[in-house]
C-alpha cells in the first residue's frame, strides 16, 4: 500500500503534496491527480519559454491548486463525519443489545446494576451485535462500565490490526466499572438517560467512583521523576530494581533518567527509553501503568506526555503539596503490590483541549496543534502594564469582556491550583465542568462561573486591545495572542486516570484538609453563653 503523510508541504508551500493513494473513494486521489497535473504544468512551464502561454499555464496551475485544496478539505471532513457516525452506530447497537437483554429479564431499560453479570451480558451481546470484527471486540467488553479497549481507544480504524499490535506489545487489558460502596441501594442503577415509556431516568453520574480491575497482569511500567532531586533519584533506582526483580516488569523511563541510571550502574541496561517524539506518540500502546515520583508538577508533566489516551497514573508524593499525589513513597512496595493486583479506585481527571487560532490563518484549514491541559489554560496580560482585554464566547454566545489581569479556564482538577488562588471555587475532580475564573478583574461584580463540560469557549483578543495577551498551559508553553487571535477551548476526549489511595472523594477531602488546611479553626468551647 502506498501511503503518504498528510499535511506535508510541497515546493510551493502548499499542504497537498502528500496524500494517501490507497483510498480512491474519499476524494484524496482526485486531489492527488490534480496535484500531479499541476506538477506537469509546472514542468511544461519550465520547458516552454512563450510568455503569454506561460501566463495561462500559471493561471491554470493556480486554479488546479485551489480545486485540489477544496477537495482535500471536503474529503477530510467526510472521513471525520464517517468515523463519528460509525462510533455512534456502535454505541447505539451496544445499548440496544443491553436493553433487549434487560427486557428479556423483565427489567426496564437503563435499570442496570453496577454488579451486573458479565457472562449474561456477553450472551446478549452475542445475540444482538452486528457480527463484524469491530463488534467482536465489544462482545468481550463489560457493559456496565468501560473497558480498556474503549478508554484507550487510539483512533485506529482497523480493529484487527490493533488487536494484533496489542498482542505483540502484551499490553494489559483492564475493565472499568462504576463502584458503589456495598451496593445494595438503587441509587446508582441508572447508567443512561432514557425517555422510553414516558419515564425520564437519571443520567449516568460521572462523579461516581470508578473501579479498575486488571483482566491481564500489567507488564510494562513507565517511571517519571521530578528532575534535580537526589532523594527522587535514589528512590527511582530502588523502585526500578524492585519492580524488575520482584515483579518481573518491563521498565520505561525518560532519556534523562536513563542517563542517570546508567551513570549509577550498568545493572540498569534492561531499562528502556525512547529517542524521538514519534516514539512518545505510541507510548500509550506499550505502557500499562505510569508511576510518578515528585509533586503535582510531575503528574502534570506525565499527563502532558500523552497527547491521546493516558494509562493509569500512580503518583508517589515527593513534593510539598501533593494534591494529585496520594501515595507515600516510604510504602511503595505495598502500594505497588496492591495496585498491580487490583482492583484500584481511580479518579478520571478530565482534560481540556486548547486551540490557538491565529487571525492571519483563521480561514485556513490547518491551525496549530491542540494543547491538552490537566489543570488550566490562563490568558493574561503577560509583561504588559495595560489591562488585558478579552472577549469571551460560550458556544458562540457572548459571555463577557474580561478587563483585568486575565482569565483562567480550569478543569475541576485544576480548581485547587491557580483558579483557587484567583478566587474560584474548589470543585471535586470528578464533577464535570469548566471553571471560568477572572484574575484581578477591574469590576466589582465579576464573580467566577462554572460552565458545563460540553461547551466550547472562545477567548478573543479584540482589535482595539492596547496590548497582546499571553496564553499558558498548565503553567507552561507561553504563547502570545495578538489582536484578532483567539483561544478555543473544550473538553478533551482523553481523561487522565489517576489511582486513588482510598477513593476519589476521600482523597480529595484529605488533600484540601492536609494540603490547604481548609477551614481550619479551633473549635469553640462549650462553656459560655447559650440559646438553650
Ligand atoms: N497564583 C497561583 O496560585 C499560581 C500561579 C501560577 C501557577 N500556578 C499553578 O501551578 C501549576 C503548575 O504547577 P507546577 O508544579 O508545574 O509549578 P510550580 O512548581 O510553580 O508549583 C505550583 C504549585 O501548585 C500546586 N499545584 C499544581 N497543580 C495543582 C492542583 N491541581 N491542585 C492543587 N495544587 C496544585 C503544586 O503542588 C505547587 O505547589 C499551574 O497549572 C497553576 O495551576 C498557581
Ligand atoms: N519529568 C520531568 N521533566 C521535566 N520537568 C519536570 C518533570 N517532572 C516535573 N517537572 C517540572 O518540575 C517542576 C517541579 O515539579 P513538582 O511540582 O513535581 O515538584 P515540587 O515543586 O517539589 O512539588 P510541589 O510543587 O508539590 O512542591 C514542575 O514545574 C514540573 O513541571
Amino acid at each position: 500500500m502506498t501511503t503518504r503523510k498528510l499535511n506535508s508541504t510541497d515546493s510551493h508551500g502548499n499542504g497537498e503534496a502528500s496524500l494517501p493513494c490507497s483510498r480512491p473513494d474519499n476524494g484524496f486521489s482526485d486531489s492527488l491527480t490534480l496535484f500531479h497535473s499541476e506538477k506537469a504544468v509546472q514542468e511544461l512551464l519550465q520547458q516552454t519559454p512563450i510568455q503569454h502561454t506561460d501566463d495561462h499555464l500559471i493561471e491554470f496551475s493556480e486554479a488546479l491548486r485551489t480545486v485540489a485544496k477544496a477537495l482535500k478539505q471536503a474529503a477530510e471532513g467526510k472521513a471525520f463525519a464517517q468515523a463519528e457516525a460509525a462510533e455512534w452506530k456502535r454505541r447505539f447497537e451496544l445499548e440496544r443489545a443491553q436493553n433487549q437483554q434487560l427486557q428479556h429479564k423483565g427489567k426496564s431499560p437503563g435499570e442496570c446494576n453496577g454488579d451486573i453479570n458479565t457472562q449474561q451480558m456477553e450472551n446478549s451481546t452475542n445475540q444482538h451485535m452486528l457480527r463484524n470484527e469491530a463488534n467482536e471486540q465489544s462482545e468481550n467488553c463489560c457493559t456496565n462500565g468501560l473497558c480498556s479497549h474503549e478508554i484507550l481507544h487510539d483512533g485506529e480504524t482497523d480493529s484487527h490490526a490493533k488487536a494484533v499490535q496489542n498482542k505483540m506489545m502484551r499490553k494489559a487489558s483492564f475493565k472499568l466499572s462504576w463502584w458503589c460502596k456495598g451496593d445494595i441501594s438503587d441509587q446508582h442503577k441508572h447508567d443512561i438517560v432514557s425517555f422510553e415509556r414516558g419515564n425520564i431516568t437519571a443520567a449516568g453520574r460521572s462523579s461516581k467512583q470508578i473501579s479498575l480491575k486488571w483482566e491481564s497482569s500489567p507488564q510494562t511500567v513507565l517511571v517519571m521523576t521530578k528532575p534535580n532531586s537526589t532523594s527522587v533519584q535514589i528512590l527511582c533506582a530502588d523502585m526500578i530494581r524492585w519492580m524488575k526483580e520482584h515483579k518481573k516488569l518491563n521498565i520505561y523511563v525518560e532519556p534523562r533518567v536513563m542517563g542517570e541510571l546508567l551513570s549509577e550502574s550498568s545493572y540498569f541496561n534492561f531499562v528502556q527509553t525512547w529517542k524521538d517524539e514519534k516514539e512518545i506518540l505510541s507510548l500509550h500502546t506499550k505502557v500499562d501503568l505510569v508511576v510518578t515520583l515528585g509533586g503535582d508538577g510531575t503528574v502534570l508533566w506525565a499527563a502532558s506526555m500523552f497527547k491521546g489516551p493516558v494509562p493509569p497514573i500512580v503518583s508517589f508524593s515527593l513534593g510539598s503539596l501533593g494534591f494529585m499525589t496520594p501515595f507515600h513513597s516510604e510504602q511503595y512496595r505495598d502500594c505497588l503490590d496492591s495496585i498491580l493486583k487490583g482492583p484500584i479506585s481511580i479518579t478520571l481527571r478530565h482534560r481540556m483541549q486548547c486551540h490557538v487560532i491565529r487571525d492571519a490563518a483563521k480561514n485556513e484549514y490547518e491551525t496549530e496543534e491542540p494543547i491538552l491541559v490537566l489543570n488550566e489554560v490562563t490568558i493574561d496580560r503577560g509583561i504588559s502594564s495595560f489591562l488585558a482585554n478579552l472577549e469571551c464566547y460560550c458556544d458562540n454566545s457572548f459571555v463577557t469582556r474580561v478587563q483585568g489581569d486575565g482569565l483562567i479556564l480550569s478543569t475541576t482538577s485544576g480548581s485547587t491550583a491557580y483558579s483557587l488562588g484567583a478566587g474560584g471555587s474548589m470543585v471535586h475532580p470528578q464533577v464535570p465542568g469548566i471553571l471560568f475564573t477572572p484574575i484581578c478583574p477591574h469590576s466589582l461584580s465579576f464573580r467566577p462561573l462554572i460552565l458545563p463540560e460540553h461547551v466550547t469557549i472562545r477567548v478573543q483578543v479584540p482589535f482595539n486591545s492596547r496590548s497582546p495577551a499571553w496564553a499558558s498551559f498548565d503553567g507552561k508553553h507561553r504563547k502570545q495572542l495578538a489582536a484578532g487571535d483567539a483561544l478555543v477551548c473544550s473538553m478533551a476526549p482523553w481523561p487522565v486516570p489517576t489511582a486513588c489511595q482510598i477513593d476519589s472523594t476521600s482523597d480529595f477531602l484529605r488533600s484540601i484538609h492536609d494540603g490547604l488546611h481548609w477551614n481550619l479553626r479551633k473549635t469553640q468551647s462549650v462553656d459560655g453563653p447559650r440559646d438553650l
Side-chain angles (χ1 to χ4, degrees):
M1 182 174 98
T2 328
T3 308
R4 301 187 191 188
K5 208 172 132 256
L6 275 173
N7 303 336
S8 67
T9 309
D10 68 5
S11 56
H12 311 289
N14 294 316
E16 293 80 32
S18 357
L19 300 159
C21 310
S22 56
R23 296 185 190 160
D25 62 332
N26 63 6
F28 287 169
S29 62
D30 296 347
S31 49
L32 184 68
T33 315
L34 281 171
F35 167 71
H36 283 145
S37 315
E38 188 196 335
K39 213 168 156 197
V41 171
Q42 293 289 348
E43 279 164 12
L44 195 62
L45 257 177
Q46 281 160 10
Q47 289 161 13
T48 327
I50 305 166
Q51 188 50 48
H52 65 273
T53 314
D54 283 3
D55 292 346
H56 283 118
L57 284 172
I58 288 167
E59 256 179 52
F60 182 53
S61 151
E62 273 168 8
L64 277 174
R65 212 182 299 158
T66 312
V67 173
K69 197 166 184 173
L71 270 173
K72 183 189 161 203
Q73 285 180 11
E76 289 185 357
K78 185 179 156 192
F80 178 76
Q82 280 173 340
E84 206 170 33
E87 175 60 13
W88 278 111
K89 186 177 173 201
R90 191 186 69 76
R91 287 188 197 178
F92 170 75
E93 295 289 352
L94 189 63
E95 196 178 303
R96 196 176 57 170
Q98 283 176 17
N99 287 342
Q100 284 178 359
Q101 163 73 10
L102 291 169
Q103 272 166 355
H104 274 276
K105 294 180 72 185
K107 288 187 178 182
S108 63
E111 207 176 335
C112 180
N113 195 316
D115 286 335
I116 208 146
N117 182 326
T118 311
Q119 190 58 48
Q120 287 169 347
M121 294 314 290
E122 277 177 10
N123 292 342
S124 153
T125 312
N126 285 339
Q127 286 165 22
H128 300 291
M129 294 292 285
L130 292 175
R131 298 198 176 276
N132 62 23
E133 206 166 2
N135 288 344
E136 271 170 31
Q137 189 182 34
S138 303
E139 283 172 27
N140 298 322
C141 290
C142 74
T143 46
N144 58 325
L146 298 164
C147 76
S148 53
H149 313 298
E150 287 174 289
I151 205 139
L152 297 180
H153 195 278
D154 60 9
E156 287 174 36
T157 48
D158 186 343
S159 62
H160 180 66
K162 203 162 84 179
V164 170
Q165 192 194 19
N166 281 349
K167 214 169 184 176
M168 280 164 54
M169 299 297 182
R170 296 157 65 85
K171 188 162 157 79
S173 74
F174 54 76
K175 191 172 85 174
L176 297 181
S177 53
W178 306 125
W179 175 77
C180 320
K181 277 184 187 156
D183 187 25
I184 31 172
S185 76
D186 282 354
Q187 200 189 346
H188 294 292
K189 283 191 176 173
H190 305 285
D191 279 345
I192 51 166
V193 176
S194 167
F195 303 114
E196 286 179 36
R197 297 184 205 157
N199 298 325
I200 301 173
T201 57
R205 294 177 181 84
S206 49
S207 55
K208 264 191 276 179
Q209 182 58 57
I210 294 164
S211 171
L212 180 152
K213 194 172 170 191
W214 298 108
E215 287 179 329
S216 56
S217 302
Q219 309 209 356
T220 306
V221 174
L222 166 64
V223 183
M224 306 207 61
T225 62
K226 166 170 85 170
N228 301 325
S229 162
T230 313
S231 56
V232 166
Q233 227 169 298
I234 293 168
L235 177 70
C236 174
D238 194 50
M239 188 183 275
I240 288 176
R241 199 183 279 267
W242 180 81
M243 287 197 285
K244 182 70 188 167
E245 290 173 6
H246 295 263
K247 299 289 163 191
K248 311 269 177 287
L249 290 166
N250 305 314
I251 310 290
Y252 269 88
V253 295
E254 293 173 271
R256 167 185 55 84
V257 180
M258 187 78 202
E260 288 167 6
L261 290 169
L262 288 179
S263 71
E264 193 182 308
S265 162
S266 59
Y267 166 85
F268 293 104
N269 265 328
F270 66 87
V271 176
Q272 301 175 67
T273 187
W274 53 87
K275 288 188 211 77
D276 51 35
E277 280 286 317
K278 217 174 125 200
E279 283 185 67
I280 297 178
L281 289 179
S282 64
L283 259 188
H284 72 277
T285 62
K286 302 172 189 162
V287 169
D288 296 318
L289 201 65
V290 180
V291 168
T292 68
L293 308 179
D296 294 319
T298 308
V299 179
L300 296 174
W301 185 268
S304 73
M305 296 281 296
F306 297 90
K307 313 290 179 208
V310 190
I313 298 183
V314 180
S315 301
F316 289 94
S317 169
L318 285 117
S320 64
L321 201 53
F323 254 77
M324 296 187 281
T325 59
F327 296 99
H328 302 294
S329 55
E330 309 83 56
Q331 292 138 23
Y332 81 79
R333 292 180 182 84
D334 291 344
C335 287
L336 287 176
D337 225 11
S338 76
I339 281 163
L340 292 167
K341 278 193 202 115
I344 324 168
S345 287
I346 60 168
T347 302
L348 270 192
R349 296 179 183 275
H350 293 282
R351 292 195 283 183
M352 289 188 301
Q353 52 192 5
C354 312
H355 292 262
V356 173
I357 313 285
R358 302 286 174 199
D359 179 54
K362 69 174 177 238
N363 296 322
E364 294 277 314
Y365 177 71
E366 287 159 46
T367 56
E368 293 181 27
E369 280 290 296
I371 302 170
L372 294 165
V373 293
L374 176 53
N375 267 353
E376 78 285 287
V377 53
T378 305
I379 308 102
D380 60 34
R381 63 189 172 87
I383 55 164
S384 167
S385 47
F386 295 113
L387 282 179
N389 181 348
L390 307 167
E391 282 172 3
C392 306
Y393 299 83
C394 176
D395 285 343
N396 292 327
S397 299
F398 180 70
V399 180
T400 194
R401 180 187 296 275
V402 176
Q403 295 181 98
D405 277 359
L407 174 72
I408 300 165
L409 298 176
S410 171
T411 63
T412 46
S413 281
S415 70
T416 44
Y418 196 178
S419 171
L420 172 76
S425 268
M426 292 193 288
V427 188
H428 187 297
Q430 294 238 203
V431 176
I434 300 177
L435 282 81
F436 184 97
T437 312
I439 311 171
C440 296
H442 196 235
S443 143
L444 294 176
S445 53
F446 197 164
R447 294 295 184 95
L449 288 179
I450 303 177
L451 296 164
E453 60 168 347
H454 58 80
V455 299
T456 298
I457 298 170
R458 183 159 55 92
V459 180
Q460 179 112 27
V461 181
F463 285 101
N464 62 1
S465 175
R466 292 192 179 185
S467 61
W470 291 84
S472 58
F473 307 86
D474 284 344
K476 298 214 177 329
H477 314 298
R478 267 177 110 64
K479 280 177 187 272
Q480 195 183 49
L481 301 178
D485 292 351
L487 184 105
V488 175
C489 196
S490 58
M491 239 47 209
W494 304 287
V496 178
T498 56
C500 303
Q501 204 209 18
I502 301 171
D503 59 52
S504 196
T505 304
S506 311
D507 284 15
F508 171 68
L509 293 175
R510 182 206 54 83
S511 46
I512 62 172
H513 287 138
D514 296 357
L516 295 174
H517 302 160
W518 178 62
N519 194 25
L520 195 67
R521 185 197 184 278
K522 281 191 176 174
T523 308
Q524 198 176 36
S525 66
V526 283
D527 58 334
R530 290 183 191 214
D531 271 345
L532 292 172

